[in-house]
Amino acid sequence: MTLLKLRVVSPEGYLNARQRPYGELVTQLPDGAIVEALEPTATVRVKVGQQGEWLRVRLPDGREAYLAAWYLQLLSSDAHSCPVWVHNPAAGCLNIRQASSLSAGRITQVLHEEELVALAAEVEVRAKVGRAGEWLHVRLPDGREGYAAANYFSLTAPAAPNPALAPAEEDKITITSALNSLQRKIALTWNRLGGRFQELAAELSINPGSAVAVWQVESCGQPFGPDGRLTVRFENHIFSDYWGKYHPERFAQHFTFNSQRRWLEHRWRRAADQPWQTFHGNQQREWEVLTFARGLDDAAACTSISMGGPQIMGFHYQLLGCASAPEMLALFASGEEHQVRGFFEFIRWQHADQCLRNNDFVGFAGIYNGSGQADNYGRLIEQAYETYRQLRTPAFPFAAPGEFAPAPMVEEDDLQRILGIGPRSAAQLNAEGIYTFAQLAAMEVAYLRELARGRRWLETWLVQARWAAWGDWESLAAFQKTVKESE
């Protein structure tokens, strides 16, 4: 395997090489030194130049060490292009336009996970990928060129599906342009994991659709993020319990949360003289916080995250047969097989399978998500479950596979379809990089309250956004009617 070469770019004139991230010093490298990356190519491309990331490298003298990735630059063999992959599972496709504008004419659509070539220096592409409002100049497989919204791309090649987890071909759900967003996501999850869901659900005498529904609600069916890393959520209040209470002054320098409602208002900062930042809803930032916390205490940091498709907390590692939370993190990161088995093992130990057996989704959510959010999560799980049942009904109107055409997609959603959001609020959200229903649904509650303080029906925006992102306009309309009538 050819190793990627990296150059040290440090304004201080040197860079510390450490035994582990934020660990003991090995040596110092001068500015301009060349090292070899010892991690997969896709991982290296994602991490290079990113604050808070670390890379395992081979030093010029042959020793191995970790370097801060934000002081490294990739030596690209082609300085004017690099591969990118479409990452838009919600719509299943991406518009390619004649210019970098939403008003520009559409050339064509390309499918989710299709590989294109970005026609710019790799450092410029990496700075744009995943960011709302940015555009990439791309070359299509047929040689045509166009422009596409950069926030729908990934620098990491999608993982090859594991055929051992999939259902039989005749049991798969045909994906057509007739499916809405929620239906498409559930179909993708089922077609990828349905075989194993069926096998393990039968052992607990539950409908496999229950597992699909929980997978969808917990992680939107995405156990791995656009950069190929495990989907995680770092919980400040849990890290406080496992590490912060023993190091209160240092914890207070870097982490904060609402002391009364501990799961809210999570913020962090790398240094005491820096401003506080939110990070929930952004996987790159989640990993930045996790990496920093692991430098303080690896076990406590991994204990404080929820992981993968089922979003199980690290402090449950023993229930899943792991010796530690870092071992659980590594296990879940190694593939979906372990995540699926971990999910069924977890609900068995928690006695939550009985609730799913009885279709008591609120009761299940009370065990799985906590009593404070049981009603909301229960309603969402039930909606996803009913959608799965509809898709698995033989009478459901499918088009023939050969008639497949991508569903129309837009780079921006009309946020004013959310009750309580007018032109001013929509513009305010856009200024914060929130352009789609999915992005709004993923926002941290406390951050939204701070951003849109005093707006009408604010407390319902995230629930409304989830239904809108799923394309379930009927449920959204019914919910909005209930909200209005409750005044």
Side-chain angles (χ1 to χ4, degrees):
M1 179 181 71
T2 302
L3 301 178
L4 293 180
K5 294 185 181 296
L6 308 167
R7 176 188 289 115
V8 173
V9 181
S10 174
E12 288 84 9
Y14 68 91
L15 180 61
N16 292 328
R18 300 186 180 277
Q19 292 182 7
R20 58 186 178 87
Y22 302 104
E24 298 77 10
L25 183 69
V26 174
T27 188
Q28 290 183 328
L29 300 177
D31 183 44
I34 306 299
V35 297
E36 292 181 319
L38 297 177
E39 297 186 31
T41 298
T43 303
V44 175
R45 290 183 183 279
V46 169
K47 287 185 176 182
V48 165
Q50 297 300 318
Q51 188 79 23
E53 298 290 356
W54 291 77
L55 277 168
R56 186 166 64 91
V57 303
R58 179 176 293 124
L59 305 178
D61 62 9
R63 287 183 293 173
E64 296 182 9
Y66 284 85
L67 299 180
W70 58 100
Y71 290 118
L72 297 175
Q73 186 179 83
L74 188 66
L75 298 182
S76 175
S77 58
D78 185 349
H80 303 291
S81 68
C82 75
V84 290
W85 287 265
V86 177
H87 185 83
N88 191 12
C93 60
L94 179 63
N95 292 329
I96 305 298
R97 298 189 178 275
Q98 296 173 353
S100 56
S101 169
L102 295 176
S103 61
R106 191 175 71 189
I107 298 173
T108 187
Q109 289 184 324
V110 291
L111 297 179
H112 171 59
E113 297 189 341
E114 186 165 346
E115 181 179 354
L116 306 180
V117 176
L119 301 176
E122 186 161 338
V123 63
E124 180 183 342
V125 174
R126 278 190 276 109
K128 291 183 175 182
V129 164
R131 296 182 181 275
E134 298 285 357
W135 291 79
L136 288 181
H137 182 197
V138 297
R139 181 185 297 127
L140 305 178
D142 61 11
R144 289 182 294 172
E145 296 182 11
Y147 294 82
N151 53 313
Y152 292 110
F153 282 104
S154 168
L155 289 164
T156 305
N162 183 349
L165 306 182
E169 286 300 319
E170 60 270 21
D171 285 337
K172 289 184 177 179
I173 299 171
T174 305
I175 299 177
T176 77
S177 57
L179 302 188
N180 63 32
S181 176
L182 176 58
Q183 291 169 338
R184 182 183 297 274
K185 291 177 180 178
I186 286 177
L188 289 170
T189 298
W190 175 259
N191 292 348
R192 195 175 68 249
L193 304 174
R196 191 65 80 236
F197 280 158
Q198 286 175 311
E199 171 193 330
L200 298 176
E203 295 178 4
L204 298 180
S205 299
I206 63 176
N207 191 307
S210 300
V212 177
V214 174
W215 221 259
Q216 174 58 39
V217 170
E218 291 298 322
S219 64
C220 293
Q222 295 296 307
F224 297 96
D227 59 7
R229 290 183 294 182
L230 187 68
T231 299
V232 299
R233 179 182 171 95
F234 186 86
E235 303 289 1
N236 286 8
H237 62 299
I238 304 298
F239 191 55
S240 172
D241 292 341
Y242 283 90
W243 183 80
K245 67 181 181 182
Y246 304 109
H247 310 275
E249 292 184 3
R250 195 167 184 192
F251 181 89
Q253 289 181 343
H254 303 292
F255 306 95
T256 185
F257 58 89
N258 186 313
S259 60
Q260 301 301 314
R261 305 177 72 185
R262 305 177 78 236
W263 61 93
L264 297 178
E265 300 176 30
H266 289 195
R267 291 176 174 79
W268 93 292
R269 58 188 179 187
R270 186 175 300 281
D273 59 350
Q274 294 180 348
W276 292 104
Q277 302 178 52
T278 60
F279 55 92
H280 288 325
N282 183 307
Q283 279 300 295
Q284 181 177 313
R285 292 177 187 170
E286 293 279 6
W287 270 96
E288 184 177 339
V289 178
L290 173 58
T291 302
F292 179 82
R294 294 184 77 176
L296 300 175
D297 188 309
D298 188 30
C302 293
T303 297
S304 305
I305 60 171
S306 55
M307 318 178 193
Q311 284 293 284
I312 298 174
M313 288 299 304
F315 54 66
H316 290 302
Y317 66 88
Q318 290 178 309
L319 294 182
L320 306 188
C322 296
S324 66
E327 181 182 309
M328 178 181 165
L329 175 63
L331 186 69
F332 272 33
S334 68
E336 287 186 283
E337 169 79 40
H338 300 291
Q339 297 181 37
V340 173
R341 291 190 177 279
F343 168 71
F344 282 93
E345 186 70 8
F346 178 72
I347 64 174
R348 183 177 70 85
W349 276 106
Q350 296 292 87
H351 304 292
D353 51 326
Q354 182 65 43
C355 294
L356 294 182
R357 214 170 286 127
N358 297 329
N359 287 346
D360 178 10
F361 298 110
V362 173
F364 174 85
I367 297 172
Y368 202 90
N369 304 102
S371 58
Q373 294 292 319
D375 287 339
N376 284 339
Y377 274 98
R379 187 186 304 136
L380 293 170
I381 294 170
E382 181 177 12
Q383 179 66 25
Y385 175 73
E386 291 301 326
T387 300
Y388 162 83
R389 287 187 60 193
Q390 179 190 32
L391 290 171
R392 297 282 288 156
T393 299
F396 189 78
F398 287 122
E403 298 174 13
F404 173 78
M409 66 84 63
V410 294
E411 291 84 355
E412 296 184 14
D413 289 320
D414 181 7
L415 297 180
Q416 294 184 55
R417 295 189 71 171
I418 302 300
L419 190 64
I421 296 183
R424 179 184 172 189
S425 296
Q428 198 171 14
L429 290 166
N430 290 165
E432 295 296 316
I434 307 300
Y435 292 89
T436 68
F437 296 129
Q439 289 173 328
L440 177 58
M443 286 187 72
E444 172 72 6
V445 175
Y447 181 44
L448 180 60
R449 285 175 179 155
E450 180 180 301
L451 180 68
R453 184 177 293 118
R455 299 294 193 275
R456 199 175 186 189
W457 299 307
L458 176 63
E459 297 299 319
T460 71
W461 286 11
L462 300 187
V463 175
Q464 290 187 66
R466 181 73 71 101
W467 272 317
W470 286 356
D472 188 352
W473 306 113
E474 183 177 343
S475 294
L476 176 61
F479 180 74
Q480 290 177 336
K481 181 180 178 182
T482 301
V483 170
K484 289 179 179 178
E485 291 175 347
S486 66
E487 283 198 326

